[in-house]
């Protein structure tokens, strides 16, 4: 479609999807029951508690769900009441959510990464949770705030512990009570579950609260089942497919793409083996991938970068010769694959033959180290750099970028095996309307960038107890995402960043920083993280987290024997960082890739990385820009001084110590 198409009717005819899928799954309960009827003997859940993954069938999962739901009813849970779920990924998480829903209640999923007392207290009070289901590892957090939660009647503990306090109840006691309840009151449970309707609440999922109090995204049963149907319009999987869930289950991405869509296909899912610490759990991921051998994995950019880093490190250990061969193989793959949709061609047949050789001796070995059965990744959570997409495409495990947000339950678009264009966020799911609007609400034609606005059954019913925010976000049935993007002539969506994270120059011009930040960091081993800043200032500045280990190696290489603690060594490191930035400026090798006014004219080196622990990354591993700006307010102001504009200054030298 050319940019001449500006008529609303034409635009919507091309980009709005017709209602072609017909399902009767109005509730998650309908979805689960249908899958159990079809796939009762198929394995649904896998979990590794000791030395291997153990399977649980769809039929057995249903039995456990009924036991829990009945136990909740015997405990006095009423329809519509809120039950918080705080646990690491495990079978009991999935069974827990389904049990809550069968009881007619609402799940309030909480992130295990929440460490601050106030974070948990706010969510539990705001949601009006009367019950909490928690793992043994997370129980300490609940005990710390128990006196601040007068509404909570019972805390159900999933794991056996030595002693139970006050309102705490063993999970096994609830299941046993459920068994007794089912013997005499089976019809009461079926009546409760059958009374659930599509527009009833299923979850209250809290946002990360990056600028103010978190907002509770209210997602209904139909929001979920509609989004499952939409996801199924893009991804065809089968009962033989398996997913190792490595992303948090408290987010709706983990729900829809992690296990509900797999449930609809009769496929199976596993969770990462829980470690004694979060770090140990992370270390279990590559081990579990090799053991479980999944066919599909969901990922976020931070994990994708970690996988890539590990692969490259493994290649480096094999010596210079292998490293050189790997680089040649990757370059050949890049040239042959291009952006995926335009791969190959008559004039690249020789590269295809060469790639077959590289695949046999290099890429297949890499895939083998990742289980050997992986068909593709699904990427979400944030913008996925095109170089990462090219990397995984080259080794034969494509990472298909998608786009969504919690308020859309979350899937809006994705690349897939049959339709993909690297660098894009894919094509729209079916049964979803999309339009691109400018700042004044005017409809924009294909190819022009504006706010992404969507409408469909997957759009949340609103924010819990926040009508003002709901009215601001959903207008006339349309969800205003706050994200910028455009749709190209082939129907592929490109997401360009957040309106709220825009750089704003002194003359009012705006620009999204994510593309620059990612390009500079991904293009240099010396920079780990970067946040650009310009709020109507004379020039753009950057907060930079360097890779100290790489900088130390660089300094040692160009001046052997120099001590890192010397000012001379740190000055050399700062000059290297400036050199990395200058490559994108006039005269640099990447000059013209970005408008120069949005490249940093001054740089602050930070003493610590952005992380979840210091609350500068949210649970999706995105930068919390407002908090970063607040924490480094003085450094940002300093960058607009004559001393701060020079990268070699006392503050930067001190940060490198």
């Amino acid at each position: 479609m050319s940019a001449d198409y500006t008529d609303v009717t034409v635009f919507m005819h091309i980009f709005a999807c017709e209602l072609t899928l017909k399902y009767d799954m109005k509730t998650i309960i309908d979805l689960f029951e249908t899958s159990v009827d079809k796939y009762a003997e198929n394995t649904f859940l896998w979990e590794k508690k000791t030395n291997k993954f153990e399977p649980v069938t769809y039929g057995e999962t249903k039995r456990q769900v009924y036991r829990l739901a009945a136990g909740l009813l015997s405990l006095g849970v009423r329809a519509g009441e809120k039950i918080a779920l705080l646990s690491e990924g495990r079978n009991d998480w999935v069974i827990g959510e389904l049990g809550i829903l069968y009881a007619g209640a609402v799940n309030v999923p909480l992130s295990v990464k929440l460490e601050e007392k106030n974070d948990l207290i706010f969510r539990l009070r705001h949601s009006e949770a009367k019950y909490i289901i928690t793992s043994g590892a997370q129980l300490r957090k609940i005990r710390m705030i128990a006196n601040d939660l007068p509404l909570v009647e019972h805390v159900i503990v999933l794991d056996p512990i030595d002693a139970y306090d006050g309102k705490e109840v063993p999970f096994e006691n609830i299941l046993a009570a459920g068994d007794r309840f089912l013997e005499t009151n089976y019809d009461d449970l079926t009546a409760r579950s059958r009374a659930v309707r599509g527009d009833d609440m299923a979850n209250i999922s809290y946002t990360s609260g990056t600028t103010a109090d978190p907002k509770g995204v209210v997602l209904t049963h139909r929001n979920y089942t509609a989004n499952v149907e939409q996801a199924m319009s893009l991804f065809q999987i089968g009962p033989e497919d398996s997913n190792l869930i490595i992303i948090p289950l408290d987010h709706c991405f983990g729900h829809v793409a992690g296990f509900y869509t797999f449930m609809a296909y009769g496929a199976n899912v596993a969770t990462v083996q829980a470690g004694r610490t979060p770090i140990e759990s992370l270390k279990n991921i590559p081990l579990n991938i090799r053991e479980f051998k999944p066919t599909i994995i969901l990922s976020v950019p931070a994990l994708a970068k970690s996988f890539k880093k590990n692969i490259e490190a493994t290649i480096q250990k094999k010596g210079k010769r292998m490293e050189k061969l790997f680089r040649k193989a990757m370059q050949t793959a890049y040239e042959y694959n291009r952006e995926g949709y335009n791969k190959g061609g008559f004039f690249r047949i020789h590269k295809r033959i060469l790639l077959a050789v590289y695949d046999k001796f290099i890429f297949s070995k890499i895939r083998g180290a990742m289980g050997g059965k992986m068909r593709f990744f699904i990427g979400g959570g944030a913008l996925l750099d095109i170089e990462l997409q090219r990397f995984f495409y080259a080794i034969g495990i494509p990472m298909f970028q998608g786009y969504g947000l919690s308020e859309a339950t979350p899937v809006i678009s994705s690349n897939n095996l049959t339709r993909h264009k690297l660098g894009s966020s894919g094509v729209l799911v079916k049964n979803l309307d999309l339009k691109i609007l400018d700042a004044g609400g005017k409809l924009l034609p294909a190819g022009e960038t504006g706010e992404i606005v969507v409408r469909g059954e997957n759009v949340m019913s609103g924010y819990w107890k926040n009508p003002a925010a709901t009215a601001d976000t959903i207008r006339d049935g349309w969800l205003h995402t706050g994200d910028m993007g455009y749709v190209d002539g082939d129907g592929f969506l490109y997401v360009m960043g957040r309106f709220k994270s825009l750089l704003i120059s002194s003359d009012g011009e705006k620009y999204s920083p994510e593309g620059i930040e990612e390009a500079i960091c991904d293009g240099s081993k010396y920079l780990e993280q970067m946040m650009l800043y310009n709020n109507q200032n004379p020039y753009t500045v950057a907060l930079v987290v360097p890779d100290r280990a790489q900088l130390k190696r660089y300094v040692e290489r160009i001046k052997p024997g120099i001590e890192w603690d010397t000012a001379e060594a740190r000055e050399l490191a700062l000059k290297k960082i400036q050199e990395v930035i200058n490559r994108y400026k006039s005269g640099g090798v990447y000059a013209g890739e970005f408008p120069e006014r949005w490249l940093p004219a001054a740089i602050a080196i930070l003493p610590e990385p952005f992380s979840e622990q210091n609350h500068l990354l949210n649970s999706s591993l995105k930068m919390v820009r407002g908090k970063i700006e607040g924490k480094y307010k003085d450094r940002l102001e300093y960058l607009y001084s004559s001393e701060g504009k020079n990268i070699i200054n006392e503050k930067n030298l001190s940060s490198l110590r």
Side-chain angles (χ1 to χ4, degrees):
M1 179 172 138
S2 73
D4 295 332
Y5 287 100
T6 56
D7 182 77
V8 177
T9 305
V10 175
F11 186 90
M12 294 310 297
H13 174 74
I14 292 177
F15 292 113
C17 298
E18 298 177 0
L19 300 176
T20 56
L21 298 178
K22 300 296 181 184
Y23 292 87
D24 296 320
M25 300 186 299
K26 294 298 182 185
T27 69
I28 295 170
I29 295 166
D30 295 331
L31 168 60
F32 182 56
E33 291 285 343
T34 301
S35 294
V36 173
D37 288 345
K38 289 181 180 178
Y39 310 110
E41 299 305 315
N42 284 20
T43 295
F44 176 34
L45 303 174
W46 294 87
E47 185 173 0
K48 183 184 178 185
K49 292 183 178 179
T50 53
N51 61 348
K52 66 176 182 177
F53 281 92
E54 300 285 353
V56 178
T57 66
Y58 277 82
E60 175 60 20
T61 302
K62 177 179 176 178
R63 192 176 78 84
Q64 295 297 331
V65 168
Y66 274 48
R67 293 179 72 203
L68 174 57
L72 294 174
L73 264 60
S74 71
L75 200 62
V77 172
R78 297 179 181 180
E81 288 187 326
K82 317 303 184 298
I83 303 178
L85 179 51
L86 177 64
S87 172
E88 303 77 13
R90 56 197 285 176
N91 289 356
D92 288 337
W93 204 108
V94 179
I95 292 167
E97 165 144 300
L98 290 170
I100 291 169
L101 300 180
Y102 266 78
V106 179
N107 183 20
V108 182
L110 299 174
S111 170
V112 296
K113 296 173 183 177
L114 294 171
E115 289 291 344
E116 294 294 326
K117 289 170 56 177
N118 290 340
D119 288 339
L120 279 169
I121 289 172
F122 175 84
R123 288 162 172 80
L124 289 165
R125 282 181 170 178
H126 185 261
S127 66
E128 302 170 2
K130 291 186 70 174
Y131 305 88
I132 300 172
I133 299 175
T134 181
S135 67
Q138 299 299 315
L139 179 60
R140 62 174 179 82
K141 298 177 183 178
I142 301 302
R143 285 180 169 177
M144 288 171 60
I145 60 175
N147 293 334
D148 298 307
L149 304 171
L151 193 62
V152 172
E153 296 182 5
H154 294 287
V155 176
I156 301 168
V157 185
L158 293 173
D159 304 294
I161 57 176
D162 293 335
Y164 294 85
D165 294 343
K167 300 175 181 179
E168 295 168 5
V169 184
F171 186 54
E172 287 302 321
N173 287 15
I174 301 298
L175 296 180
D179 291 336
R180 293 190 295 271
F181 186 94
L182 290 172
E183 289 175 3
T184 55
N185 303 97
Y186 186 89
D187 290 345
D188 290 349
L189 174 60
T190 56
R192 178 73 67 87
S193 63
R194 287 172 183 169
V196 177
R197 296 290 176 259
D199 57 359
D200 287 340
M201 278 194 286
N203 284 175
I204 301 176
S205 296
Y206 281 88
T207 63
S208 56
T210 55
T211 55
D213 283 336
K215 294 192 285 288
V217 178
V218 176
L219 299 176
T220 68
H221 280 260
R222 183 55 189 155
N223 286 153
Y224 273 111
T225 59
N227 204 227
V228 168
E229 293 164 12
Q230 291 168 326
M232 291 170 75
S233 74
L234 292 184
F235 288 99
Q236 295 296 315
I237 61 178
E240 70 284 354
D241 277 306
S242 57
N243 172 27
L244 177 65
I245 303 175
I246 61 178
I247 60 172
L249 284 179
D250 59 277
H251 193 278
C252 55
F253 182 41
H255 281 60
V256 172
F259 60 88
Y260 282 142
T261 300
F262 279 75
M263 178 194 293
Y265 280 115
N268 57 97
V269 300
T271 47
V272 172
Q273 183 181 17
R276 288 167 294 183
T277 65
I279 296 297
E280 188 175 299
S281 295
L282 280 174
K283 289 180 178 178
N284 283 338
I285 292 176
L287 175 65
N288 288 173
I289 289 174
R290 290 193 294 272
E291 292 172 323
F292 182 64
K293 298 178 172 53
T295 62
I296 299 164
I297 280 184
L298 312 182
S299 185
V300 294
L303 286 170
K305 290 175 183 178
S306 177
F307 289 146
K308 178 176 181 283
K309 204 172 193 177
N310 289 341
I311 291 169
E312 290 175 331
T314 301
I315 294 294
Q316 285 178 349
K317 289 177 183 177
K318 294 183 180 297
K320 294 287 185 183
R321 186 176 178 183
M322 175 56 76
E323 194 175 356
K324 184 176 179 181
L325 189 62
F326 176 72
R327 284 200 300 267
K328 287 183 68 175
M330 294 298 288
Q331 186 60 40
T332 302
Y334 290 167
E335 291 170 358
Y336 180 79
N337 292 333
R338 293 191 283 179
E339 284 71 48
Y341 76 101
N342 55 357
K343 70 187 292 185
F346 178 78
F347 295 106
R348 290 181 176 81
I349 291 177
H350 66 292
K351 292 187 183 296
R352 181 176 181 178
I353 297 169
L354 192 56
L355 269 179
V357 177
Y358 285 138
D359 189 79
K360 181 176 180 180
F361 293 103
I362 300 177
F363 298 148
S364 64
K365 303 294 189 300
I366 295 172
R367 295 196 298 272
M370 300 185 75
K373 294 184 178 179
M374 193 100 66
R375 295 201 291 133
F376 56 86
F377 291 90
I378 300 173
L383 296 176
L384 185 64
D385 182 75
I386 190 171
E387 292 307 317
L388 273 175
Q389 296 178 49
R390 287 186 175 126
F391 180 89
F392 287 102
Y393 200 91
I395 65 174
I397 314 175
M399 183 165 284
F400 294 127
Q401 171 74 21
Y403 166 67
L405 67 165
S406 298
E407 290 84 347
T409 323
V411 184
I412 289 173
S413 69
S414 184
N415 289 278
N416 57 50
L417 284 168
T418 56
R419 287 195 73 189
H420 52 268
K421 190 179 285 191
L422 304 187
S424 80
S425 288
V427 294
L428 300 184
V429 298
K430 290 191 175 180
N431 304 341
L432 182 76
D433 299 333
L434 179 145
K435 56 186 179 182
I436 305 294
L437 302 179
D438 68 11
K442 178 184 174 184
L443 189 70
L444 295 172
E448 290 196 23
T449 300
E451 184 180 13
I452 301 167
V453 181
V454 299
R455 179 178 64 185
E457 288 187 280
N458 57 313
V459 171
M460 68 171 182
S461 66
Y463 294 114
W464 179 243
K465 297 193 296 189
N466 196 338
T470 300
D472 184 56
T473 305
I474 302 177
R475 303 171 217 161
D476 298 323
W478 289 89
L479 173 65
H480 289 250
T481 68
D483 288 321
M484 294 197 309
Y486 68 92
V487 182
D488 72 8
D490 296 321
F492 284 84
L493 177 65
Y494 287 78
V495 181
M496 309 305 291
R498 294 287 293 171
F499 271 125
K500 293 179 182 178
S501 64
L502 292 178
L503 303 172
I504 308 174
S505 65
S506 55
D507 60 6
E509 187 179 345
K510 301 177 178 66
Y511 195 88
S512 180
E514 283 98 334
I516 301 176
E517 292 163 345
E518 290 175 5
I520 294 177
C521 286
D522 291 341
S524 171
K525 61 185 178 182
Y526 301 108
L527 304 187
E528 285 280 359
Q529 296 166 312
M530 170 187 288
M531 192 196 84
L532 296 177
Y533 175 84
N534 191 340
N535 188 12
Q536 303 179 65
N537 298 106
Y539 50 84
T540 301
V541 299
L543 300 175
V544 169
V545 176
D547 187 322
R548 285 172 173 75
Q550 291 288 357
L551 286 171
K552 286 179 181 179
R553 281 194 282 271
Y554 164 76
V555 170
E556 175 65 26
R557 188 170 66 252
I558 64 169
K559 197 152 189 178
I562 193 171
E563 292 293 331
W564 176 254
D565 287 338
T566 64
E568 182 186 5
R570 283 178 277 126
E571 284 182 14
L572 287 172
L574 290 174
K575 288 177 181 177
K576 185 61 180 178
I577 293 171
Q578 186 66 66
E579 181 186 313
V580 169
I581 303 299
N582 289 346
R583 291 188 299 174
Y584 294 84
K585 295 185 176 183
S586 179
V589 65
Y590 301 124
E593 189 165 331
F594 302 107
E596 189 140 346
R597 71 181 306 180
W598 304 117
L599 294 169
I603 299 163
I605 305 302
L606 302 184
E608 64 173 345
F610 309 140
S611 68
E612 290 179 89
Q613 287 67 41
N614 60 23
H615 306 291
L616 302 183
L617 294 182
N618 65 19
S619 60
S620 299
L621 304 182
K622 299 177 186 175
M623 288 187 291
V624 186
R625 292 178 185 271
K627 291 184 178 178
I628 294 172
E629 290 171 16
K631 181 178 177 69
Y632 293 108
K633 181 175 180 290
D634 292 343
R635 293 296 299 273
L636 288 169
E637 291 177 355
Y638 178 70
L639 290 174
Y640 291 102
S641 68
S642 56
E643 181 184 346
K645 197 170 183 181
N646 184 348
I647 194 169
I648 300 176
N649 58 63
E650 282 305 314
K651 293 183 185 294
N652 283 345
L653 288 168
S654 176
S655 292
L656 279 179
R657 284 199 176 98

